[in-house]
């Protein structure tokens, strides 16, 4: 909430322009200054600055709502609560689809279809509400240069041949998906910090980051002292911003993650860069395949336990056979795991 822009906090445009010249853009920037500093940059009296502080504080404070209001909001307009995946088994496991107002993580080994799933959800979000979509734009942050416009069009034409039967429909859909390639942790964080106004101006209904783990694992070597704390701080900041955007605008946020093999001695091996077989039940990793020298271990999502508590729903994508993938939902909701088989589009 503190990242909310001052222009959305009810301050006049003239005052916002004056503050921006002093690099005071967000509510956090404003509230971090002392009364004397605010009097200097605003040119206003002590009492007027006090009123401005109250106004900005109220604007960025979390709004209270009752459980009844939350329940009625979903009951009145259930289509605004979820974005359907159009996979019946998965939608059933998710109680309607990918939840709006929360973070959904898709994790699995390299090449299993995480990006394909994100492309499919991008197409679905642009569809009209009558077809189960959100009738909005998509912001797609690509950290692995894996986004393919041709593949996006192929998925749209394959899944909805009647709707996307004309060049006009395809043109409208592709223009609604805004791609950003951010290849460093700093650029990803800066991009997320600027999304608030874009979500409003472009009528964005879905935010995707593919992938969260890619830049983090490249930049933070966990063998170096101090990197663990820096990485934790970065991930906490990123999760906080994304949760604010999801809740403030009631939109789904989809993130992809990689996998790692965690050994009994606490070390992690980047399993997703080894082979798809590392996503199996770990018989090979645990040393039962003939090598008694290997440490017991198990495959899990990357980025650690703290990050796992930042996401609301985790979808685990696994290989089932050459053309089919299995997806499991792990969450704090009832029915912890729900395997779903689907063919890649």
């Amino acid at each position: 909430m503190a990242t909310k822009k001052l222009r959305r906090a009810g301050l006049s445009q003239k005052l916002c322009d004056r503050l921006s010249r002093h690099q005071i853009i967000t509510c956090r920037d404003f509230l971090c200054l002392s009364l004397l500093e605010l009097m200097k940059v605003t040119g206003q009296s002590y009492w007027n600055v006090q009123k401005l502080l109250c106004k900005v504080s109220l604007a960025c404070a979390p709004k209270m709502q009752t459980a009844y209001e939350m329940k009625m909001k979903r009951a009145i307009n259930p289509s605004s609560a979820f974005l359907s995946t159009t996979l019946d088994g998965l939608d059933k496991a998710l109680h309607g689809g990918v939840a709006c107002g929360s973070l959904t993580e898709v994790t699995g080994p390299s090449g299993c279809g995480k990006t394909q799933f994100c492309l499919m959800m991008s197409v679905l979000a642009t569809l009209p509400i009558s077809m189960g979509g959100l009738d909005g734009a998509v912001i797609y942050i690509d950290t692995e240069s894996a986004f393919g416009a041709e593949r996006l069009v192929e998925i749209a034409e394959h899944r909805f041949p009647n709707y996307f039967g004309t060049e006009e429909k395809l043109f409208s859909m592709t223009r609604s998906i805004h791609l950003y390639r951010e290849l460093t942790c700093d650029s990803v964080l800066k991009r997320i910090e600027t999304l608030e106004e874009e979500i409003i101006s472009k009528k964005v209904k879905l935010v995707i980051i593919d992938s969260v783990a890619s830049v983090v694992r490249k930049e933070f070597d966990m063998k170096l002292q101090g990197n663990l704390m820096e990485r934790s701080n970065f991930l906490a900041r990123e999760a906080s911003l994304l949760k604010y955007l999801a809740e403030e605008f009631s939109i789904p946020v989809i993130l992809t993650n990689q996998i790692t093999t965690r050994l009994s001695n606490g070390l992690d091996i980047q399993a997703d860069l080894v082979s798809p077989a590392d996503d199996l039940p770990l018989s090979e990793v645990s040393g039962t395949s003939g090598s008694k020298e290997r440490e017991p271990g198990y495959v899990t999502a990357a980025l650690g336990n703290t990050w796992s508590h930042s996401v609301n729903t985790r979808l685990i994508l696994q290989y089932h056979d050459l053309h089919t993938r299995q997806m499991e939902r792990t969450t704090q909701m009832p029915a912890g795991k729900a395997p779903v088989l689907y063919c890649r589009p």
Side-chain angles (χ1 to χ4, degrees), residues 274-293:
V274 181
S275 73
D278 288 307
D279 198 41
L280 296 173
L282 276 297
S283 58
E284 283 112 19
V285 177
S286 61
T288 58
S289 62
S291 175
K292 295 183 180 180
E293 295 180 359

Side-chain angles (χ1 to χ4, degrees), residues 52-63:
L52 288 174
L53 278 171
C54 290
K55 192 172 189 177
V56 172
S57 298
L58 287 172
C60 68
K63 301 296 187 295

Side-chain angles (χ1 to χ4, degrees), residues 6 65 154 158 252 271 294:
L6 285 171
Q65 60 178 332
E154 286 177 3
H158 176 75
R294 293 188 180 182

